[in-house]
Amino acid sequence: MPRSGVREIFDMARAVPDLVHLEIGEPDFSMPTHITEAAIQALRDGFTRYTPNAGLEELREAISEKLKRENEIDADPSGEILVTAGSMEALSLSALSTINENDEVVIPDPGYVSYEAEVLLAGGIPVPVPLREENDFGLKMDDIEKVVTKKTRLLIMNYPSNPTGAVIRREDLKEIADFVTDRDILVLSDEPYERLVYPGNRHYSIAALPGMLEHTISVFSFSKTYAMTGMRIGYAVSGKELIRQMTKMQEHYVACVNTVAQKAAVAALRGPQTCVEAMLKEYTRRRDAVIEGLSKIKMMTCRKPAGAFYAFPNISKSGQDSKTFGTSLLEEAKVATVPGAAFGRRGEGHIRLSFATSVQNIREAIRRIAEYCAKTFPE
Ligand SMILES: Cc1ncc(COP(=O)(O)O)c(C=O)c1O
């Protein structure tokens, strides 16, 4: 299995002093106080034992209500929802319970680093589908048709997207839904950034389309929405048969998710959502600061992220590959980013900037990048 290209840059970044960090894909906010209080209270109340493999009933009910309210997905709390250790475990269980040896799995390129690894671990063959910059990194039917064969079992998609910050149009989702239903291909829709969507944009879940619940495993997370990455909690939603298979596996992997995290998750869903709105407002300010700053750097072009907290500027005018460019930026400009090639062949010619950091850090990083580019790539 290949080592993640993201880890490589993380290791290098640790060794360089005075860096501005734009490589980290994790909220810098603290977990909201009412969620922390609920976790502490859960400990005091003795919620330190196993729960059912699928998760606390109370939590599955809260998730079912949220799915109806926000995603237009109608999922039965007993049988169509599985609480997992972050979306990561949901991705693993999805891959393991759907992929047979040598099944082909379509993965987004550029895409989140773990998809390829999850497919390989399950014995499948990852088949990248290009997400084109000229299509705003949307997943298009023309491109899917070119890579799908009789051996295709699963199509993995991720919107709002890491690393591109793109969202997908509802019309595209409809076309994809018709296609996969005809071919009996399952969709694994990874949606951890569902609530990080900037004004004027919208996120749609493919499982909300008629008949798609059984054809999709939808994966959600508490990590990014509520700044609780370390609590390790997320969930998978699908038809009863797939969730039954995944729950069976869950028993032998982790038995159940940490009970305190499950109680915290109930508080997150049932408590006030003003914390989510406040964080989104701040991310919007940061996104605008990144885009405004980058617009002044002539050798880069950058699409405005519609969701998540990543910008994915095109650096191909530098004439360098993304690893060379990212390494020089780290060593000379003292700004850590992730080379686009870490996200697949189609990520080449880009770098990923995470704006899960303060506006002050963003302005300083952009200042350093601009100075470095002006010096290194004079017009
Ligand atoms: C697209 C995507 N999927 C899944 C994850 C995993 O998140 P978690 O396991 O914390 O829910 C991440 C984390 O960065 C991500 O960017």
Side-chain angles (χ1 to χ4, degrees):
M1 236 182 63
R3 185 168 185 248
S4 152
V6 179
R7 284 288 138 202
E8 253 171 56
I9 203 95
F10 282 9
D11 291 348
M12 279 164 66
R14 246 196 300 271
V16 181
D18 304 323
L19 274 185
V20 185
H21 293 274
L22 298 189
E23 82 282 27
I24 300 167
E26 171 169 27
D28 57 324
F29 298 106
S30 302
M31 185 162 87
T33 314
H34 69 280
I35 306 177
T36 307
E37 290 302 329
I40 294 169
Q41 195 57 46
L43 280 170
R44 293 215 167 95
D45 293 344
F47 283 94
T48 51
R49 295 174 186 274
Y50 294 131
T51 73
N53 300 131
L56 285 168
E57 209 170 305
E58 178 191 18
L59 175 56
R60 280 179 282 132
E61 271 164 18
I63 290 171
S64 170
E65 288 157 19
K66 171 265 177 188
L67 287 168
K68 214 168 278 161
R69 196 173 59 233
E70 289 172 21
N71 307 90
E72 296 173 30
I73 296 175
D74 203 356
D76 183 349
S78 55
E80 292 180 332
I81 294 168
L82 169 65
V83 178
T84 56
S87 29
M88 297 284 329
E89 198 217 351
L91 296 175
S92 305
L93 296 180
S94 305
L96 289 167
S97 48
T98 56
I99 302 170
N100 287 321
E101 195 78 20
N102 293 329
D103 278 350
E104 291 177 4
V105 179
V106 177
I107 61 169
D109 181 12
Y112 178 54
V113 290
S114 290
Y115 302 138
E116 183 188 27
E118 298 290 357
V119 173
L120 291 173
L121 284 168
I125 301 169
V127 179
V129 60
L131 305 181
R132 299 175 195 277
E133 189 172 16
E134 62 269 29
N135 293 335
D136 279 329
F137 299 109
L139 181 58
K140 296 288 176 187
M141 251 341 293
D142 286 355
D143 289 313
I144 297 175
E145 273 171 340
K146 281 186 202 129
V147 296
V148 161
T149 71
K150 285 203 176 68
K151 286 163 75 183
T152 307
R153 172 75 179 136
L154 195 64
L155 165 74
I156 303 184
M157 54 190 284
N158 162 232
Y159 289 101
S161 153
N162 175 8
T164 68
V167 297
I168 190 161
R169 300 178 327 153
R170 196 173 204 173
E171 303 87 273
D172 290 329
L173 284 183
K174 278 195 183 131
E175 281 187 28
I176 294 168
D178 288 342
F179 179 81
V180 293
T181 318
D182 283 351
R183 304 283 186 108
D184 209 14
I185 295 169
L186 290 168
V187 175
L188 175 50
S189 180
D190 185 24
E191 307 175 34
Y193 300 96
E194 57 169 333
R195 297 285 297 274
L196 296 180
V197 179
Y198 299 111
N201 299 283
R202 242 197 103 172
H203 168 65
Y204 299 99
S205 295
I206 192 164
L209 297 175
M212 279 305 286
L213 181 78
E214 280 83 8
H215 270 280
T216 312
I217 305 174
S218 308
V219 171
F220 301 94
S221 179
F222 290 86
S223 289
K224 319 283 173 167
T225 304
Y226 298 101
M228 47 196 277
T229 42
M231 296 296 274
R232 309 308 304 127
I233 183 159
Y235 49 99
V237 183
S238 190
K240 284 211 159 68
E241 181 51 23
L242 270 170
I243 291 295
R244 195 174 69 80
Q245 298 298 341
M246 289 168 67
T247 308
K248 216 165 58 180
M249 269 189 198
Q250 163 105 313
E251 180 173 359
H252 305 295
Y253 275 87
V254 295
C256 67
V257 171
N258 180 316
T259 309
V260 170
Q262 294 194 52
K263 291 296 280 184
V266 173
L269 290 178
R270 296 228 157 118
Q273 301 300 301
T274 40
C275 52
V276 180
E277 286 148 28
M279 286 188 272
L280 180 62
K281 204 165 160 199
E282 183 55 23
Y283 284 125
T284 309
R285 226 165 66 84
R286 295 166 174 190
R287 182 211 45 176
D288 293 346
V290 170
I291 293 303
E292 195 211 321
L294 289 180
S295 70
K296 296 187 186 129
I297 303 176
K298 293 249 162 39
M299 53 120 343
M300 287 190 197
T301 54
C302 188
R303 270 156 214 271
K304 199 172 180 178
F309 39 60
Y310 306 106
F312 203 55
N314 187 315
I315 51 111
S316 49
K317 276 194 204 153
S318 69
Q320 295 182 344
D321 65 51
S322 62
K323 193 167 177 188
T324 309
F325 187 87
T327 308
S328 313
L329 215 53
L330 183 97
E331 287 170 349
E332 293 178 40
K334 308 269 187 255
V335 179
T337 61
V338 183
F343 303 99
R345 203 172 62 80
R346 291 252 163 194
E348 194 47 273
H350 294 263
I351 53 170
R352 188 192 75 173
L353 310 180
S354 159
F355 45 90
T357 187
S358 68
V359 167
Q360 194 185 353
N361 277 346
I362 290 166
R363 293 215 170 108
E364 176 57 18
I366 302 279
R367 189 192 65 73
R368 292 184 189 189
I369 296 173
E371 197 177 283
Y372 168 78
C373 288
K375 191 179 70 191
T376 319
F377 310 104
E379 278 176 63

